[in-house]
Amino acid sequence: MKALIAFIVMAVVVLTLIEINERVKAKKTPKNEDCQKETDGEDCSACELLSVCEKKSDS
């Protein structure tokens, strides 16, 4: 039982660290405003910004 709890806690810590790392990388990466104009909503690999894809799919 203790091992299961430890495993769950470890998984939560790992997921939290991954999320923090992604946020730090997003802050360090300069946002390219032209990239949003260049993408057609289908292919966002040109700018490598997932937020562009998410914004296009939300609207």
Side-chain angles (χ1 to χ4, degrees), residues 3-56:
L4 178 63
I5 293 171
F7 181 74
I8 292 171
V9 170
M10 184 180 65
V12 169
V13 169
V14 168
L15 292 175
T16 304
L17 289 174
I18 290 171
E19 181 66 25
I20 291 170
N21 187 29
E22 290 295 322
R23 290 183 185 190
V24 168
K25 283 197 302 189
K27 285 182 181 180
K28 285 184 179 179
T29 308
K31 294 187 178 186
N32 187 358
E33 297 299 327
D34 296 333
C35 179
Q36 194 171 19
K37 297 174 186 173
E38 293 172 5
T39 59
D40 57 358
E42 297 296 324
D43 181 26
C44 298
S45 61
C47 61
E48 299 176 356
L49 289 177
L50 291 178
S51 60
V52 174
C53 291
E54 290 171 359
K55 287 180 187 176
K56 296 261 185 204

